[in-house]
Amino acid sequence: LVFIMFFTVSGGAYGLEDVIGSSGAGIGLLLIIITPLIWSIPTAYMVAELSTAMPVEGGYYYWVKKAMGPFWGFQEGWWSWLTTWVDMAIYPVLFVDYASYYFPSLATNGIQRWLLGAALIWFFTILNIRGAKLVGDSSTLFAVIVLAPFVLMTVIGLFHMNQSPIHPVTPNGQSIGSSLTLGLFVVMWNYYGWDGLSTVAGEMRNPRRDYPRTLLITVPLITAAYLLPTIVALAVVGTHKVVWEAGAWTQIAEMIGGKWLGVLLGAAALVSAAGLFSALLLSVSRIPFVMGEDGYLPKRLFTVHKKFGTPWVALVVSSAIYTIFILGPFQSLVVVDVIVYSAALMLEFAALIVFRRKYPNMKRPFKIPGGWPVLTLICLGPAFILGFAIYSQVVEEGFANAVGLSFLFLATGPVLYFVARHFKRKRGEPEHQVELELVDEAGQPS
């Protein structure tokens, strides 16, 4: 579970290079340190409470629907699935980009690129159909392969640190505000996905015990996996000897440990992209499955494999969409990705508050301590960082670009809900309900 979550959120420090390149060493490191404090940890607390109270297949979709009704539940499910159309297409494309280091023809041959990306998608679709345990076992192996080169680079680099890792604080001629804006969405993208594993809670042996433990281990693990290699790389290589952009880790590893370490890190990049796709496919495929179960999507989507018990049709449909989307340059849509995902995440925080007010006696094996003052702070942290990121993006780039496109994506949810509800009522399909386990004043189940 730890390593499925590791790949649901992270997959190693790949992708962080642009943070340093666009924000500078000092601001980049500040973002890597501060973002988990006001974004990741509050989200992890929220997910731990709701996932242990409602450990059901579909996770956050059912949390929001139970707390605020079918309309908002549909928005949660649709927005979460919609953002994966962009997000999930990135990882096969990254895999092909990393593979071109070894096979240069992939850099220019469009047919070869698409075939390799499609092969990756369908290999891991078959793996997912065979069950969550197989994905977990493979994720453990992938995580060792991904983390080992970074550990080697960090240890070797410790003996060659010869400069301050925080200089320059910002790129030359760039203000602090502009530096924060440019790097913030990338850091948020690297730190989101803590709720992803909740969608397969129905397939865990003991989710009420294991989900909080998994979060407790994974949050510091991912933060360290980002922060330590970056600090050492900046203290050895700095920002002037290498261009900090996607793919720079291979060059940095060569400069610190030699050609062999660069090759090793490049190979681990391939595994990282594959592991990210596999773990995320496990979680996101359950959303169309449970929405199909509710009658908002075709009933065929909640067909379960007779042998493996997995939603194989939802997996196949999701992968078919991703196979089409890898034809385009979707890496540039990180801002859209983060805003649409974050809108769904805000609904989960709203559900947390509603459950506390409407169901004070709901059984909560894990409950956020500190009462309403702490709960308020936990909900305000992610809302603040999202609001600041959107405001800064509008100031720097204007509303009509990525932010406007994000709101257009979000607007499809209400429209599709009323269309789907019309056909659902026409078919006479009932709403699927999830019961809460309540306790009396003595703490006994009621």
Side-chain angles (χ1 to χ4, degrees):
L1 290 176
V2 167
F3 290 117
I4 291 176
M5 185 172 287
F6 174 79
F7 279 109
T8 302
V9 176
S10 171
Y14 302 105
L16 277 179
E17 304 99 314
D18 287 319
V19 176
I20 304 301
S22 59
S23 297
I27 295 297
L29 288 176
L30 182 66
L31 288 171
I32 293 171
I33 294 169
I34 289 180
T35 303
L37 298 178
I38 57 179
W39 177 256
S40 301
I41 292 176
T43 303
Y45 267 116
M46 176 270 292
V47 170
E49 178 166 321
L50 292 180
S51 63
T52 54
M54 293 183 65
V56 295
E57 195 84 346
Y60 46 76
Y61 168 73
Y62 279 120
W63 306 342
V64 174
K65 191 181 84 165
K66 185 68 175 179
M68 296 185 289
F71 174 81
W72 290 111
F74 183 91
Q75 307 312 308
E76 174 72 19
W78 174 250
W79 292 344
S80 298
W81 194 34
L82 182 62
T83 192
T84 69
W85 294 11
V86 173
D87 191 49
M88 291 292 286
I90 291 174
Y91 305 113
V93 172
L94 286 176
F95 181 89
V96 175
D97 286 342
Y98 296 139
S100 65
Y101 177 80
Y102 303 98
F103 305 99
S105 64
L106 287 171
T108 55
N109 191 311
I111 296 296
Q112 289 183 8
R113 290 178 61 84
W114 183 82
L115 287 173
L116 181 58
L120 178 81
I121 289 172
W122 290 102
F123 173 81
F124 284 104
T125 300
I126 294 170
L127 191 72
N128 268 265
I129 289 173
R130 294 181 64 85
K133 186 181 185 302
L134 191 58
V135 176
D137 293 341
S138 62
S139 295
T140 303
L141 175 62
F142 290 166
V144 172
I145 295 172
V146 167
L147 290 174
F150 281 107
V151 172
L152 286 172
M153 186 184 74
T154 302
V155 172
I156 295 170
L158 287 172
F159 298 96
H160 297 88
M161 296 170 67
N162 56 14
Q163 57 187 303
S164 171
I166 64 171
H167 293 294
V169 175
T170 64
N172 291 333
Q174 192 167 289
S175 68
I176 291 178
S178 178
S179 298
L180 284 169
T181 301
L182 291 170
L184 185 54
F185 274 107
V186 180
V187 174
M188 290 170 69
W189 181 68
N190 277 276
Y191 274 118
Y192 85 47
W194 303 104
D195 54 349
L197 203 57
S198 70
T199 61
V200 292
E203 297 168 55
M204 297 181 191
R205 289 180 180 174
N206 193 342
R208 287 190 163 124
R209 180 198 66 191
D210 294 338
Y211 208 107
R213 291 182 181 182
T214 302
L215 287 164
L216 186 65
I217 297 169
T218 313
V219 172
L221 172 65
I222 289 176
T223 304
Y226 288 162
L227 185 61
L228 297 180
T230 307
I231 289 176
V232 170
L234 287 169
V236 178
V237 177
T239 59
H240 302 297
K241 298 178 183 178
V242 65
V243 178
W244 282 79
E245 61 184 13
W249 280 120
T250 303
Q251 186 180 353
I252 292 169
E254 286 186 12
M255 297 173 73
I256 291 176
K259 180 70 174 179
W260 67 274
L261 188 56
V263 171
L264 199 60
L265 207 72
L270 294 172
V271 176
S272 173
L276 278 161
F277 181 84
S278 177
L280 286 164
L281 182 61
L282 175 72
S283 64
V284 302
S285 61
R286 271 57 177 177
I287 294 305
F289 169 73
V290 293
M291 291 180 75
E293 190 176 43
D294 266 352
Y296 293 113
L297 295 175
K299 293 175 68 68
R300 181 70 174 165
L301 284 173
F302 65 94
T303 302
V304 175
H305 197 284
K306 293 181 180 179
K307 180 178 180 181
F308 303 114
T310 51
W312 72 273
V313 175
L315 280 162
V316 169
V317 170
S318 296
S319 293
I321 293 170
Y322 308 146
T323 304
I324 296 170
F325 269 61
I326 61 173
L327 294 169
F330 299 104
Q331 302 94 315
S332 61
L333 292 178
V334 167
V335 172
V336 176
D337 197 6
V338 170
I339 291 176
V340 176
Y341 167 82
S342 299
L345 186 68
M346 292 303 105
L347 290 181
E348 295 168 37
F349 278 102
L352 176 68
I353 295 172
V354 170
F355 277 129
R356 283 288 188 99
R357 292 183 62 87
K358 287 176 63 176
Y359 305 103
N361 294 325
M362 183 171 69
K363 186 175 181 181
R364 295 175 172 88
F366 176 86
K367 185 176 181 179
I368 299 170
W372 281 102
V374 173
L375 194 70
T376 302
L377 288 174
I378 281 176
C379 294
L380 286 177
F384 168 79
I385 195 171
L386 174 62
F388 176 78
I390 293 175
Y391 170 78
S392 302
Q393 184 72 20
V394 171
V395 170
E396 292 291 329
E397 304 289 340
F399 181 82
N401 294 318
V403 175
L405 184 60
S406 302
F407 282 92
L408 183 63
F409 273 40
L410 292 172
T412 62
V415 175
L416 287 175
Y417 170 74
F418 291 107
V419 173
R421 189 180 67 168
H422 170 75
F423 287 104
K424 173 183 168 71
R425 287 180 173 178
K426 196 173 181 179
R427 293 191 300 266
E429 294 181 359
E431 191 78 21
H432 181 75
Q433 298 295 328
V434 174
E435 297 300 323
L436 298 179
E437 188 174 353
L438 304 179
V439 295
D440 59 23
E441 293 181 358
Q444 298 298 319
S446 62

